[in-house]
Amino acid sequence: MAIKKSQLYEKLWKSCDDLRGGMDSSQYKDYILVLLFVKYASDKYANSRIVDIPKGARFEDMVKLVGKPNIGEEINKIIGKFAEANNLKGIIDNADFNDEDKLGQGKSMTDRLSSLVSIFESSFDFSKNRAEGDDLLGDAYEYLMRKFATESGKSKGQFYTPSEVSQIIAKVIEANTSTSRDTTVYDPTCGSGSLLLKVADESPNGLTIYGQEIDGVTRSMAIMNMWIHENQDASIVKEDTISKPQFKEQERLKEFDFAVANPPFSTKSWSMGIVPDNDEFGRFDGHGIPPKKNGDYAFLLHLIKSMKKTGKGAIVLPHGVLFRGNAESEIRKNLVERRWIKGIIGLPPNLFYGTGIPACIIVLDKKDTENRKGIFMIDASKGFVKDGNKNRLQAKDIHKIVDVFTNQIEISKFSRLVSISEIKNEKNNYNLNIPRYIDSYEEEDIQDIDGHLNGGIPISDVDSFNWKEFSNLKETLFSTQREGYLKLNVEKSALNSFIVGHCEFKKHSKKVEKAFESWKSQNLPIFEGITKGSQPKEIIRIISDDLIEKFSKFVLFDKYDIYQKIMTYWEETMQDDVYLISQEGFDVSLFPTKNKNGKIISWDSDLIPKETEILVRKYFAKQQEELEKLSLQLEETEQSMQDLEDEGEADDDMFSEARGKAGKITKGELTKRIKIIQDDSELKEEYDVLKEYQKLMDKKDDLTSQIKNLEKNLDKDLHSKYKTLKESEIREIVIYDKWLEAIHKSINEESQRLSNDFAGKIKNLAERYASTLPDMTRDVQELTVKVDQHLERMGFKW
């Protein structure tokens, strides 16, 4: 059985549990990643000449050590052999698997490592889990990077650039325009290499990768990352980039087609080992020297110097580089004058690991600078969701940023092309702080005093709504109350149903349905063409981009919200399905499900899980209807029993003698109590209540038994149905009943949400001006008179 992508992530992260005892994530990641690497290489290259796997250096040799006292020492030897054979000394052999301080002593270490190796052995077979054109394990490695970065805390999480930011950078520097593997990309502070790989992945044929990283352990992570993403030829070197750049051509810095970086923010020690005003590589010539205790511009100028004359690049830096004064102001001025800054994208705060401060992407382009008239700015600071203790960009945020930047689309409060002359003028003086040029401040909700005093809804408030497709609805909803003010013609309680039922809203709903049907019709060949060897990432790119296009002209919809709907479904469900199909085809093989003790309790299927009840609705609707009917009767019976209990407790607890030791009413105690009081006329009321409760209890048992038998029979019929499904049936069920139905439902839910929101805003507007100041004054006077009268009757006089 192929492993789902989400299951791979879950099992990899679970494997970390066995190591958490003696170390934090900044340490145990070294063990997990090395085992993952060796397991991957052993599976993927078992019979390949690409990787040299010596005898005794396979993952299978680790499996033979399970339960042996010397397992740690022997794992070190296996990894050492593998490293030596593949020039990976100092890369994959840094973690000591015989470290008693971290892994425990004696049996504790043996059990911990045996469990870890067993998890990898039983859960993963990387020789088969790779869809053509996709990177299942590579994505899993990045998943681990993100998780480790999240847990590593402020001081140790900077080795990882959030995937969402890497995606934006890869697209805005137009890495997709490269058609040759010989095209180069460089990252002077590459960390674990995730940013480099995202840029290379954007190019149709990949890129030649160069990276430098100051930290040895992090460099090791980057090299393993390159291998796992099948970029073994990447050159990842160790040293301080500013003082000892390793990529040189004679006495000059090597220049690259693309250059990207997410350097440590505002590092104070950047100038150690160099003489900035006499830099041998001329990185600061004609620009100015960065402040002694802030290296942001040092990395930026190094990146620019490393770009070819037609090179493109991007760097992530704190917002301070856009407006700080003194030496940085002079550097900024010179950069603006050279027209090398193509754009600036302001990002949300608390996005990066290791810092909570907001950052920006400075997009660089040395090509056609003589024709560049301005800098394109985007304020994307508000587009994010909370994800634990960090903020995270969603798929829709990424798509919007890239679309707007690539097409230079100006959107109020979001994006703008700022002319160089405006940046240079006396007022701005080369300050690049985004709020100077894009006012993203949300306008205050201003109250109309005249409306509160004299009543009526201000026309200006009503006109602030988008009535482009609902002009007739507007005229129906409102009429003139007085000059400049309107009244609502519909009762507020009926507003929502009135709006949704209006002909223009129905027309809008039909357009939504038509747009979905058009999208479905156009993309059905793609859905129906999914088979073994399909490329999941390309599939979702095509169908999601087309969904954006189909919903791009709706008044109420934000097309990126619709895009997020399909991307959320992709991430939660469809991605796993397509990966499974790309590996095994449309197969619904069944597997046993077990409880936490390992006992088999039922069965299930990956592609069409039982919990979806798709097959039940399609083939066993009558049984399901009967089950629902009985379940409703059971619910009503249980409610009647509860009502009797509540009434009985209110009357000296009639059920006190019918309760067992646990305080719960039992059939035995209830029957015993009924026999005792059946002939006592003084306890007739209690007898009648208990007898009624006994009947309900019998009815509940009977209903429960019927439901259990029906569920058992349905499960048996369902099991048989799964076994007899033909591939054509499975294909139809998955595509139409599962995927398309779910996507359709989510779009309808969004449509319903927007209509409710529209109606809610109108209702709030009507309620705001429903009571005038004279009305409220009169009400206060009337209430005051009533209170005075009450006080007077009570003997109080003012």
Side-chain angles (χ1 to χ4, degrees):
M1 181 182 72
I3 187 169
K4 286 185 177 183
K5 200 167 191 179
S6 58
Q7 289 174 334
L8 175 62
Y9 292 169
E10 182 183 342
K11 289 183 178 181
L12 281 172
W13 191 241
K14 246 184 177 180
S15 68
C16 299
D17 290 338
D18 289 332
L19 289 175
R20 286 196 172 111
M23 58 191 114
D24 63 27
S25 63
S26 65
Q27 296 172 312
Y28 64 67
K29 73 177 188 300
D30 301 332
Y31 294 88
I32 296 296
L33 296 178
V34 167
L35 281 185
L36 176 64
F37 179 79
V38 174
K39 172 63 173 164
Y40 164 76
S42 298
D43 287 350
K44 184 71 178 176
Y45 303 110
N47 301 303
S48 168
R49 295 182 180 181
I50 298 174
V51 178
D52 182 4
I53 308 179
K55 184 178 180 181
R58 296 178 182 273
F59 186 83
E60 290 86 342
D61 296 301
M62 292 186 184
V63 176
K64 296 174 184 176
L65 299 170
V66 169
K68 294 186 177 180
N70 63 340
I71 183 171
E73 181 182 353
E74 292 301 313
I75 286 178
N76 282 342
K77 292 178 182 178
I78 290 170
I79 294 171
K81 283 183 185 178
F82 189 101
E84 189 170 358
N86 292 281
N87 197 28
L88 292 172
K89 293 288 289 182
I91 305 301
I92 65 170
D93 54 356
N94 294 315
D96 182 4
F97 282 81
N98 203 37
D99 188 331
E100 294 182 342
D101 291 335
K102 293 177 180 176
L103 299 170
Q105 298 180 1
K107 190 174 185 304
S108 178
M109 178 191 288
T110 300
D111 290 347
R112 179 170 282 136
L113 291 177
S114 295
S115 174
L116 192 60
V117 170
S118 296
I119 288 172
F120 275 77
E121 171 62 16
S122 62
S123 301
F124 314 127
D125 180 359
F126 298 129
S127 64
K128 299 175 182 177
N129 282 282
R130 176 79 183 268
E132 186 63 33
D134 282 284
D135 204 352
L136 182 63
L137 182 60
D139 290 347
Y141 189 92
E142 183 166 313
Y143 166 83
L144 286 176
M145 291 292 98
R146 185 172 71 250
K147 295 288 281 187
F148 288 138
T150 302
E151 290 211 349
S152 291
K154 185 174 181 181
S155 62
K156 300 169 185 175
Q158 295 185 9
F159 58 79
Y160 177 73
T161 301
S163 172
E164 298 82 8
V165 176
S166 297
Q167 289 177 55
I168 292 171
I169 289 175
K171 291 180 183 297
V172 298
I173 66 173
E174 300 174 342
N176 63 317
T177 59
S178 167
T179 57
S180 171
R181 178 83 181 188
D182 294 332
T183 305
T184 56
V185 59
Y186 166 61
D187 185 341
T189 57
C190 70
S192 62
S194 57
L195 176 53
L196 276 170
L197 287 165
K198 276 289 184 290
V199 177
D201 189 51
E202 187 68 17
S203 173
N205 299 303
L207 300 171
T208 300
I209 296 173
Y210 296 83
Q212 185 163 337
E213 169 57 40
I214 191 172
D215 182 79
V217 174
T218 304
R219 173 186 173 245
S220 299
M221 291 164 56
I223 292 174
M224 285 190 285
N225 205 0
M226 295 298 152
W227 273 59
I228 284 175
H229 285 85
E230 296 195 354
N231 282 279
Q232 291 95 329
D233 58 346
S235 179
I236 307 294
V237 298
K238 178 184 178 299
E239 267 303 346
D240 183 284
T241 288
I242 302 300
S243 64
K244 292 182 180 180
Q246 296 297 294
F247 297 110
K248 296 177 284 189
E249 291 177 341
Q250 297 177 350
E251 299 303 315
R252 300 171 63 249
L253 289 179
K254 181 177 174 62
E255 294 178 348
F256 303 90
D257 298 293
F258 297 105
V260 294
N262 175 22
F265 290 175
S266 307
T267 181
K268 296 183 178 3
S269 57
W270 70 271
S271 61
M272 289 181 63
I274 66 169
V275 181
D277 55 0
N278 189 27
D279 178 51
E280 62 177 304
F281 302 107
R283 289 171 288 191
F284 314 125
D285 296 352
H287 300 289
I289 299 172
K292 187 176 181 180
K293 293 189 176 181
N294 192 319
D296 291 331
Y297 271 105
F299 288 107
L300 174 56
L301 295 174
H302 174 88
L303 198 74
I304 290 173
K305 193 69 174 179
S306 302
M307 292 165 57
K308 291 181 179 179
K309 290 181 180 179
T310 56
K312 301 175 185 290
I315 185 169
V316 179
L317 290 171
H319 267 291
V321 300
L322 303 177
F323 55 80
R324 291 193 297 249
N326 302 319
E328 292 184 315
S329 177
E330 182 65 21
I331 297 172
R332 194 164 53 244
K333 174 184 176 181
N334 289 321
L335 289 174
V336 171
E337 291 291 356
R338 283 174 169 80
R339 309 290 205 272
W340 284 344
I341 300 177
K342 182 179 181 180
I344 302 170
I345 302 169
L347 298 170
N350 200 27
L351 204 64
F352 293 85
Y353 302 98
T355 180
I357 65 174
C360 62
I361 300 171
I362 299 179
V363 185
L364 306 163
D365 193 344
K366 286 188 176 181
K367 188 177 181 181
D368 295 331
T369 54
E370 64 276 7
N371 297 318
R372 189 162 295 134
K373 305 299 182 183
I375 296 175
F376 194 80
M377 296 188 182
I378 293 178
D379 183 353
S381 60
K382 295 180 173 63
F384 64 88
V385 291
K386 294 294 294 181
D387 185 10
N389 61 354
K390 304 299 293 182
N391 295 330
R392 180 173 58 83
L393 294 166
Q394 296 184 88
K396 67 175 182 178
D397 304 316
I398 298 168
H399 209 300
K400 182 177 181 179
I401 291 168
V402 173
D403 281 354
V404 169
F405 189 89
T406 303
N407 299 298
Q408 304 279 283
I409 302 169
E410 295 196 350
I411 299 175
S412 175
K413 297 185 179 298
F414 185 75
S415 60
R416 183 182 166 218
L417 179 63
V418 184
S419 68
I420 297 296
S421 59
E422 183 179 352
I423 292 169
K424 290 167 61 173
N425 69 27
E426 186 177 349
K427 176 186 175 184
N428 294 314
N429 193 26
Y430 296 94
N431 189 312
L432 296 177
N433 197 22
I434 296 174
R436 277 181 175 259
Y437 307 101
I438 299 175
D439 180 12
S440 62
Y441 182 73
E442 294 295 331
E443 294 180 6
E444 284 188 60
D445 187 11
I446 299 173
Q447 304 275 335
D448 188 289
I449 301 300
D450 193 356
H452 284 299
L453 288 173
N454 301 306
I457 303 169
I459 288 178
S460 58
D461 284 15
V462 174
D463 287 344
S464 67
F465 287 44
N466 193 335
W467 298 97
K468 186 176 179 181
E469 294 186 18
F470 309 109
S471 56
N472 183 261
L473 173 62
K474 177 185 175 184
E475 292 177 6
T476 307
L477 282 173
F478 301 99
S479 60
T480 302
Q481 179 168 319
R482 58 191 178 92
E483 187 176 353
Y485 294 85
L486 305 172
K487 65 178 179 180
L488 186 65
N489 298 326
V490 179
E491 288 293 328
K492 292 192 290 290
S493 60
L495 193 58
N496 192 67
S497 58
F498 181 85
I499 289 175
V500 173
H502 191 271
C503 60
E504 287 182 331
F505 239 85
K506 287 182 177 179
K507 184 179 178 182
H508 182 271
S509 297
K510 287 180 180 178
K511 285 174 67 177
V512 171
E513 188 64 24
K514 186 177 179 181
F516 174 78
E517 290 299 325
S518 174
W519 170 81
K520 183 172 81 170
S521 175
Q522 187 166 321
N523 288 279
L524 265 180
I526 295 174
F527 281 103
E528 292 176 343
I530 297 173
T531 186
K532 281 187 179 182
S534 290
Q535 300 181 21
K537 290 181 181 177
E538 183 63 11
I539 289 168
I540 186 58
R541 184 192 66 78
I542 294 171
I543 65 175
S544 62
D545 280 353
D546 189 56
L547 192 66
I548 280 186
E549 193 277 325
K550 292 292 188 291
F551 282 86
S552 61
K553 296 178 182 178
F554 283 88
V555 172
L556 290 184
F557 284 105
D558 182 330
K559 61 184 180 181
Y560 295 107
D561 286 337
I562 296 297
Y563 171 77
Q564 186 61 49
K565 290 291 182 181
I566 193 171
M567 292 308 296
T568 298
Y569 182 65
W570 172 260
E571 291 165 8
E572 292 176 350
T573 302
M574 191 176 168
Q575 174 180 233
D576 278 341
D577 291 348
V578 178
Y579 268 89
L580 283 174
I581 295 165
S582 68
Q583 295 161 39
E584 298 192 347
F586 281 87
D587 178 70
V588 287
S589 297
L590 306 182
F591 60 87
T593 57
K594 303 176 182 180
N595 61 18
K596 61 182 181 180
N597 298 319
K599 181 182 178 182
I600 296 175
I601 54 174
S602 187
W603 57 271
D604 210 337
S605 173
D606 278 327
L607 198 54
I608 311 176
K610 283 170 64 179
E611 65 178 14
T612 64
E613 296 188 343
I614 294 173
L615 262 63
V616 172
R617 293 193 299 271
K618 194 173 184 72
Y619 299 107
F620 305 103
K622 288 185 178 180
Q623 292 96 315
Q624 183 68 7
E625 186 180 341
E626 181 64 22
L627 264 174
E628 290 172 356
K629 180 181 175 182
L630 291 173
S631 296
L632 179 60
Q633 291 178 23
L634 178 61
E635 186 179 325
E636 291 171 348
T637 302
E638 289 176 333
Q639 184 58 53
S640 297
M641 291 170 69
Q642 186 60 52
D643 292 342
L644 278 178
E645 281 191 63
D646 293 342
E647 291 172 12
E649 287 177 1
D651 191 12
D652 297 327
D653 193 1
M654 293 182 181
F655 292 94
S656 60
E657 299 297 328
R659 300 183 190 277
K661 292 181 180 180
K664 187 177 180 180
I665 299 171
T666 65
K667 184 170 282 190
E669 294 297 328
L670 181 66
T671 302
K672 186 191 300 182
R673 179 61 178 170
I674 289 172
K675 285 182 178 179
I676 292 174
I677 65 173
Q678 61 183 349
D679 296 324
D680 192 331
S681 58
E682 293 183 4
L683 297 176
K684 187 177 186 307
E685 182 180 357
E686 179 184 341
Y687 174 82
D688 291 341
V689 170
L690 296 187
K691 197 68 178 173
E692 177 64 22
Y693 192 91
Q694 188 181 50
K695 289 179 182 178
L696 289 171
M697 186 175 273
D698 290 338
K699 184 178 180 181
K700 176 185 174 181
D701 290 345
D702 181 55
L703 287 169
T704 301
S705 178
Q706 288 185 61
I707 290 171
K708 187 175 180 181
N709 288 332
L710 267 175
E711 286 177 338
K712 184 178 180 180
N713 291 332
L714 178 57
D715 191 70
K716 184 179 178 181
D717 292 341
L718 193 60
H719 187 275
S720 298
K721 190 62 184 177
Y722 269 94
K723 291 280 191 179
T724 58
L725 283 175
K726 299 176 182 177
E727 182 179 333
S728 58
E729 291 178 287
I730 299 169
R731 183 182 292 272
E732 181 179 332
I733 291 167
V734 171
I735 294 173
Y736 290 89
D737 299 326
K738 187 179 183 184
W739 295 344
L740 291 173
E741 179 63 28
I743 295 168
H744 189 208
K745 181 181 177 183
S746 69
I747 291 174
N748 283 340
E749 287 173 350
E750 179 67 6
S751 181
Q752 184 64 47
R753 183 191 71 79
L754 289 170
S755 61
N756 290 338
D757 187 49
F758 188 80
K761 288 178 179 177
I762 295 174
K763 183 178 179 181
N764 291 338
L765 200 58
E767 289 176 342
R768 173 183 293 179
Y769 298 104
S771 299
T772 64
L773 182 60
D775 291 337
M776 288 186 281
T777 302
R778 184 180 62 252
D779 290 343
V780 170
Q781 290 173 344
E782 290 176 355
L783 289 171
T784 300
V785 170
K786 289 181 180 180
V787 170
D788 288 344
Q789 290 173 347
H790 282 302
L791 289 173
E792 188 173 344
R793 283 196 293 271
M794 294 169 65
F796 295 97
K797 290 186 178 181
W798 299 98

